[in-house]
Amino acid sequence: MRKKVIAGNWKMNMNLHQSQKLVSEILNGLGKDSKADVIVCPPFTSLSEVNSLLKSTKIKLGAQNMYYEESGAYTAEISVDMLKSVGCEYVILGHSERRVIFNESDELINKKVKAALVKELKPIFCIGELLEQRESGETMIVITGQIEKGLEGITSDQMKNIIIAYEPVWAIGTGKTATPQQANEVHLFIRELVAKKFSPAVAENLIIQYGGSVKPENSGELLSQKDIDGALVGGACLKADSFLSIIASA
Ligand code: PEP
């Protein structure tokens, strides 16, 4: 049985004070018997303080990006060691906003995935098709390419430390959600692809999150699908109430 994993991607929101307030509200509202694992991914500037608030709690900390080099003249970039030193256990990689707005290629994302895994930082590896790709029937081709290139050179053993987030780009921040059936169809396809590329056991244990306008009104049905093991939540994670409702529905 795979445990559900709910992650909140705060994106470029929340200054330090707002971050402390939000995480305190989430901690206050989270029942002790929460069945799902919870990850919060604040902006870099809040990681250290949020980490202090999360000490001895069940909520895990993630970052939203990193660079693959260890150190050096890479102005404004952040290394794996830096993220680990402020308590990060996870890092979101390959988010569609990084791919589309910042032109991140599959090859760059693959370098980041490898660098994270070598130092035991767990990637939440995001994949998903654009609207025109879905409409022209290319969804599975796009997904296959992103997995083949993004996970190139990754071992079956390392796959234990990866979460895949399927996020159809047309559903991110748009209010449009894939139907539970549309989402599950792609999740099943991803699992079968991973079974072929790695092994059936790796695929069976792999957490595949859905992301794209997940909110309390639709999370229960999405999360009840057989191959949907959690959610990567954007907009709805910025309010404690809605994030907590999504967690409770898992
Ligand atoms: C995301 O940024 O990963 C995301 C899914 O955003 P939203 O929930 O706002 O669509």
Side-chain angles (χ1 to χ4, degrees):
M1 255 307 260
R2 295 179 295 269
K3 201 168 177 190
K4 300 271 195 262
V5 183
I6 310 295
N9 174 11
W10 296 12
K11 308 195 186 189
M12 197 175 76
N13 294 295
M14 303 286 150
N15 63 26
L16 185 55
H17 175 69
Q18 293 164 332
S19 299
Q20 289 166 318
K21 184 168 176 285
L22 177 58
V23 84
S24 303
E25 287 170 359
I26 296 169
L27 283 169
N28 287 338
L30 193 69
K32 283 210 174 57
D33 47 359
S34 155
K35 282 184 274 145
D37 284 342
V38 180
I39 305 166
V40 291
C41 303
F44 291 135
T45 46
S46 297
L47 286 172
S48 180
E49 289 300 325
V50 170
N51 181 44
S52 304
L53 294 170
L54 293 182
K55 286 257 161 68
S56 322
T57 75
K58 288 196 310 195
I59 301 184
K60 307 274 198 280
L61 187 64
Q64 300 173 22
N65 191 23
M66 50 158 267
Y67 196 52
Y68 63 85
E69 292 287 357
E70 288 201 7
S71 63
Y74 304 101
T75 300
E77 294 294 339
I78 299 283
S79 72
V80 180
D81 279 344
M82 291 171 186
L83 295 182
K84 292 198 72 170
S85 73
V86 290
C88 288
E89 199 175 311
Y90 291 88
V91 61
I92 299 173
L93 294 174
H95 191 279
S96 65
E97 286 151 18
R98 301 297 317 172
R99 291 178 188 263
V100 175
I101 305 171
F102 300 98
N103 293 318
E104 291 201 6
S105 64
D106 289 312
E107 290 68 27
L108 174 64
I109 295 161
N110 176 248
K111 285 184 181 168
K112 294 184 180 193
V113 169
K114 284 177 173 157
L117 287 169
V118 163
K119 299 209 168 174
E120 289 165 7
L121 185 66
K122 299 173 188 161
I124 300 177
F125 170 60
C126 303
I127 54 176
E129 80 285 3
L130 304 170
L131 182 59
E132 55 268 33
Q133 293 168 329
R134 172 158 285 262
E135 286 176 345
S136 55
E138 290 169 45
T139 299
M140 304 314 186
I141 297 169
V142 172
I143 296 295
T144 304
Q146 289 173 334
I147 289 194
E148 287 298 340
K149 293 182 199 148
L151 299 183
E152 196 270 322
I154 303 302
T155 66
S156 294
D157 207 40
Q158 287 177 315
M159 281 300 290
K160 290 179 196 146
N161 290 323
I162 291 188
I163 291 176
I164 293 184
Y166 168 57
E167 302 204 299
V169 181
W170 48 272
I172 297 182
T174 58
K176 287 186 198 151
T177 322
T179 64
Q181 294 70 28
Q182 273 177 326
N184 198 65
E185 184 191 13
V186 183
H187 281 232
L188 179 60
F189 178 80
I190 294 169
R191 206 175 298 286
E192 288 172 351
L193 203 63
V194 167
K196 273 188 232 139
K197 188 172 167 59
F198 297 95
S199 75
V202 167
E204 190 49 38
N205 291 318
L206 177 69
I207 299 294
I208 309 177
Q209 294 176 321
Y210 171 77
S213 298
V214 175
K215 44 188 184 262
E217 295 76 22
N218 59 25
S219 58
E221 210 187 335
L222 283 162
L223 292 166
S224 66
Q225 301 297 305
K226 187 171 169 296
D227 285 287
I228 301 185
D229 310 312
L232 180 54
V233 186
C237 78
L238 298 174
K239 292 245 158 50
D241 283 357
S242 51
F243 192 51
L244 288 165
S245 300
I246 293 169
I247 295 166
S249 73

Short mmCIF file of all heavy atoms in Angstrom, two decimals, residues 7 25 41 49 72 86 105 127 132 140 148 152 171-172 185 188 198 213 215-216 245:
data_model
loop_
_atom_site.label_atom_id
_atom_site.label_comp_id
_atom_site.label_asym_id
_atom_site.label_seq_id
_atom_site.Cartn_x
_atom_site.Cartn_y
_atom_site.Cartn_z
N ALA A 7 2.02 17.60 -1.17
CA ALA A 7 3.06 18.62 -1.11
C ALA A 7 2.49 19.97 -1.52
O ALA A 7 1.65 20.06 -2.43
CB ALA A 7 4.21 18.24 -2.04
N GLU A 25 -0.04 27.90 11.17
CA GLU A 25 -1.46 27.54 11.03
C GLU A 25 -1.63 26.10 10.55
O GLU A 25 -2.51 25.37 11.01
CB GLU A 25 -2.15 28.50 10.05
CG GLU A 25 -2.36 29.89 10.62
CD GLU A 25 -2.80 30.92 9.57
OE1 GLU A 25 -2.95 30.56 8.38
OE2 GLU A 25 -2.99 32.09 9.95
N CYS A 41 6.90 23.43 0.55
CA CYS A 41 8.02 23.93 -0.25
C CYS A 41 7.95 25.46 -0.34
O CYS A 41 7.42 26.02 -1.32
CB CYS A 41 7.99 23.32 -1.65
SG CYS A 41 8.01 21.52 -1.66
N GLU A 49 13.84 29.46 8.46
CA GLU A 49 12.89 29.73 9.56
C GLU A 49 11.78 28.68 9.59
O GLU A 49 11.37 28.25 10.66
CB GLU A 49 12.27 31.13 9.38
CG GLU A 49 13.24 32.26 9.65
CD GLU A 49 13.79 32.23 11.07
OE1 GLU A 49 13.04 31.86 11.99
OE2 GLU A 49 14.97 32.59 11.25
N GLY A 72 30.56 27.51 -6.39
CA GLY A 72 31.35 28.28 -7.35
C GLY A 72 30.64 29.48 -7.91
O GLY A 72 29.70 29.99 -7.32
N VAL A 86 19.72 23.67 5.45
CA VAL A 86 18.54 24.31 6.08
C VAL A 86 17.38 23.31 6.22
O VAL A 86 16.23 23.70 6.36
CB VAL A 86 18.07 25.58 5.32
CG1 VAL A 86 19.08 26.70 5.51
CG2 VAL A 86 17.82 25.31 3.85
N SER A 105 15.72 22.67 -19.82
CA SER A 105 15.59 21.53 -20.74
C SER A 105 15.56 20.22 -19.95
O SER A 105 15.94 20.17 -18.78
CB SER A 105 16.81 21.50 -21.68
OG SER A 105 17.97 21.27 -20.90
N ILE A 127 6.42 16.36 -14.50
CA ILE A 127 6.25 16.17 -15.94
C ILE A 127 4.81 16.52 -16.31
O ILE A 127 3.93 16.54 -15.44
CB ILE A 127 6.56 14.71 -16.36
CG1 ILE A 127 5.72 13.72 -15.54
CG2 ILE A 127 8.03 14.40 -16.19
CD1 ILE A 127 5.90 12.27 -15.97
N GLU A 132 -1.82 22.19 -26.24
CA GLU A 132 -1.82 21.81 -27.67
C GLU A 132 -1.32 20.38 -27.87
O GLU A 132 -1.73 19.68 -28.78
CB GLU A 132 -1.03 22.81 -28.53
CG GLU A 132 0.39 23.09 -28.12
CD GLU A 132 0.52 24.28 -27.17
OE1 GLU A 132 -0.41 24.51 -26.35
OE2 GLU A 132 1.56 24.95 -27.23
N MET A 140 0.98 11.05 -24.27
CA MET A 140 1.83 9.93 -23.83
C MET A 140 3.25 10.02 -24.45
O MET A 140 4.22 9.60 -23.82
CB MET A 140 1.18 8.58 -24.17
CG MET A 140 -0.23 8.41 -23.59
SD MET A 140 -0.41 8.90 -21.84
CE MET A 140 -2.11 8.37 -21.52
N GLU A 148 12.09 9.50 -20.14
CA GLU A 148 13.33 8.93 -20.70
C GLU A 148 14.51 9.87 -20.50
O GLU A 148 15.58 9.47 -20.05
CB GLU A 148 13.16 8.63 -22.21
CG GLU A 148 12.28 7.45 -22.53
CD GLU A 148 12.81 6.11 -21.99
OE1 GLU A 148 14.01 6.02 -21.70
OE2 GLU A 148 12.00 5.18 -21.84
N GLU A 152 17.27 9.74 -17.23
CA GLU A 152 18.37 9.02 -17.89
C GLU A 152 19.52 8.79 -16.88
O GLU A 152 19.90 9.70 -16.15
CB GLU A 152 18.84 9.87 -19.09
CG GLU A 152 19.67 9.14 -20.10
CD GLU A 152 21.16 9.21 -19.77
OE1 GLU A 152 21.62 10.28 -19.30
OE2 GLU A 152 21.84 8.20 -19.97
N ALA A 171 -3.57 22.61 -16.75
CA ALA A 171 -4.38 22.59 -15.53
C ALA A 171 -3.71 23.36 -14.38
O ALA A 171 -4.29 23.51 -13.31
CB ALA A 171 -4.62 21.15 -15.09
N ILE A 172 -2.49 23.86 -14.62
CA ILE A 172 -1.77 24.53 -13.52
C ILE A 172 -2.18 25.99 -13.42
O ILE A 172 -2.00 26.76 -14.37
CB ILE A 172 -0.24 24.41 -13.70
CG1 ILE A 172 0.16 22.93 -13.65
CG2 ILE A 172 0.49 25.20 -12.63
CD1 ILE A 172 1.64 22.69 -13.77
N GLU A 185 -5.52 7.82 -15.98
CA GLU A 185 -5.05 7.17 -17.21
C GLU A 185 -3.55 7.46 -17.42
O GLU A 185 -2.77 6.57 -17.74
CB GLU A 185 -5.88 7.71 -18.39
CG GLU A 185 -5.58 7.06 -19.71
CD GLU A 185 -6.23 7.81 -20.89
OE1 GLU A 185 -6.70 8.96 -20.72
OE2 GLU A 185 -6.23 7.22 -21.98
N LEU A 188 -1.39 5.72 -14.67
CA LEU A 188 -1.21 4.30 -14.96
C LEU A 188 -0.16 4.13 -16.06
O LEU A 188 0.73 3.26 -15.97
CB LEU A 188 -2.55 3.68 -15.39
CG LEU A 188 -2.53 2.21 -15.76
CD1 LEU A 188 -2.05 1.36 -14.58
CD2 LEU A 188 -3.94 1.75 -16.18
N PHE A 198 12.51 0.39 -15.32
CA PHE A 198 13.22 -0.01 -14.10
C PHE A 198 12.79 -1.43 -13.72
O PHE A 198 13.42 -2.38 -14.15
CB PHE A 198 12.98 1.02 -12.99
CG PHE A 198 13.52 2.38 -13.34
CD1 PHE A 198 12.70 3.35 -13.90
CD2 PHE A 198 14.87 2.68 -13.17
CE1 PHE A 198 13.20 4.60 -14.26
CE2 PHE A 198 15.38 3.92 -13.53
CZ PHE A 198 14.53 4.89 -14.07
N SER A 213 -4.47 22.65 -10.30
CA SER A 213 -5.72 23.18 -9.73
C SER A 213 -6.40 22.21 -8.76
O SER A 213 -7.62 22.09 -8.74
CB SER A 213 -6.69 23.59 -10.85
OG SER A 213 -6.12 24.63 -11.64
N LYS A 215 -7.90 21.33 -5.37
CA LYS A 215 -8.53 22.12 -4.31
C LYS A 215 -9.42 21.21 -3.47
O LYS A 215 -9.67 20.07 -3.87
CB LYS A 215 -9.30 23.30 -4.90
CG LYS A 215 -10.15 22.98 -6.11
CD LYS A 215 -10.71 24.26 -6.71
CE LYS A 215 -11.65 23.93 -7.86
NZ LYS A 215 -11.07 24.02 -9.18
N PRO A 216 -9.92 21.71 -2.33
CA PRO A 216 -10.72 20.84 -1.48
C PRO A 216 -11.93 20.24 -2.20
O PRO A 216 -12.33 19.12 -1.91
CB PRO A 216 -11.18 21.78 -0.34
CG PRO A 216 -10.15 22.83 -0.30
CD PRO A 216 -9.67 23.04 -1.69
N SER A 245 -7.70 20.87 4.30
CA SER A 245 -8.83 20.08 3.78
C SER A 245 -8.35 19.06 2.76
O SER A 245 -8.83 17.93 2.70
CB SER A 245 -9.86 20.95 3.09
OG SER A 245 -10.36 21.90 3.97
#
